[in-house]
Amino acid sequence: QTKPKAERRNITIDGQPTVEVDVKASHLSILYAVNGQTMRYKPDPYTMKGVPRDLVKGVVVAWMGAGKAPAKWPKRVIKEYHDPKGRKLGQVYRVKDVADALLARHPVLASLEKDVMDWANLQFLEAECFLRAMETLHAGGVPSLPVHDSLIVRGEDAEAAKEALQREYHRQLGFLPVVV
């Protein structure tokens, strides 16, 4: 779980190279689903004109974690931010502006509420889908390792993993996620 993505590429299963099969925008997709809606994946749900993708995603993650729009930039986002001109994040982008634009694009974010519908609820729903998909894969002789919103599987098992994840998200939440 804590290995950087570059290091995870070196993991082998039974001596065979692996791939990471990722559910795109998993928590945001689940939030749409529990609100009876379907998220559009195009354009990328975390892209916003004039704002780096990692900043947008950082605001979404903070929003889900707190159950409300962040009032200030998360520490992790500040730490990872680099401006070529040496300016601080708050001097270049206001978190309120990014949050307002996100809410306009994803009104479903307004349904988040701490301890009612927040990251913990979304994580539980996601984990249930992953657990069932892993059980299905295991029953078919396919080993898998969970990492956040992805599974590490042998390269030859990538399609089976994608199908198992899509099947479980559809069965449990009523939508087919984008799995890459």
Side-chain angles (χ1 to χ4, degrees):
Q1 290 273 2
T2 60
K3 283 189 181 277
K5 193 169 193 125
E7 286 184 39
R8 293 195 304 260
R9 292 184 182 122
N10 296 324
I11 294 173
T12 61
I13 296 177
D14 296 332
Q16 296 181 34
T18 59
V19 295
E20 198 164 332
V21 177
D22 182 76
V23 177
K24 189 172 181 178
S26 181
H27 281 188
L28 190 55
S29 301
I30 293 169
L31 183 61
Y32 269 90
V34 298
N35 281 281
Q37 301 173 40
T38 302
M39 185 178 77
R40 291 191 328 252
Y41 290 94
K42 291 187 181 179
D44 182 317
Y46 298 123
T47 58
M48 189 178 300
K49 187 176 180 180
V51 182
R53 184 184 190 277
D54 58 331
L55 295 182
V56 175
K57 188 170 182 180
V59 171
V60 171
V61 169
W63 199 323
M64 290 180 179
K68 62 182 181 179
K72 59 184 182 178
W73 286 107
K75 289 178 185 174
R76 181 190 57 78
V77 174
I78 292 170
K79 182 180 176 186
E80 294 175 3
Y81 179 74
H82 172 72
D83 180 63
K85 296 179 182 177
R87 299 172 293 180
K88 294 187 180 207
L89 177 57
Q91 295 172 311
V92 182
Y93 303 100
R94 288 178 11 146
V95 72
K96 182 177 181 351
D97 294 340
V98 175
D100 289 347
L102 265 169
L103 187 58
R105 182 161 178 203
H106 299 292
V108 72
L109 289 168
S111 70
L112 288 166
E113 185 179 348
K114 183 139 181 76
D115 299 326
V116 175
M117 178 49 67
D118 60 10
W119 74 271
N121 307 94
L122 298 169
Q123 184 64 41
F124 174 79
L125 294 169
E126 178 186 75
E128 286 294 305
C129 292
F130 270 75
L131 178 62
R132 301 295 172 253
M134 291 175 69
E135 289 173 342
T136 298
L137 290 169
H138 179 74
V142 176
S144 60
L145 303 168
V147 181
H148 309 296
D149 57 359
S150 63
L151 288 178
I152 294 175
V153 296
R154 295 176 297 213
E156 67 191 47
D157 298 323
E159 285 306 312
K162 288 177 185 179
E163 290 170 11
L165 284 165
Q166 286 184 321
R167 189 172 34 255
E168 282 308 317
Y169 272 72
H170 187 262
R171 188 178 74 73
Q172 293 189 41
L173 299 166
F175 77 99
L176 287 173
V178 172
V179 182
V180 293

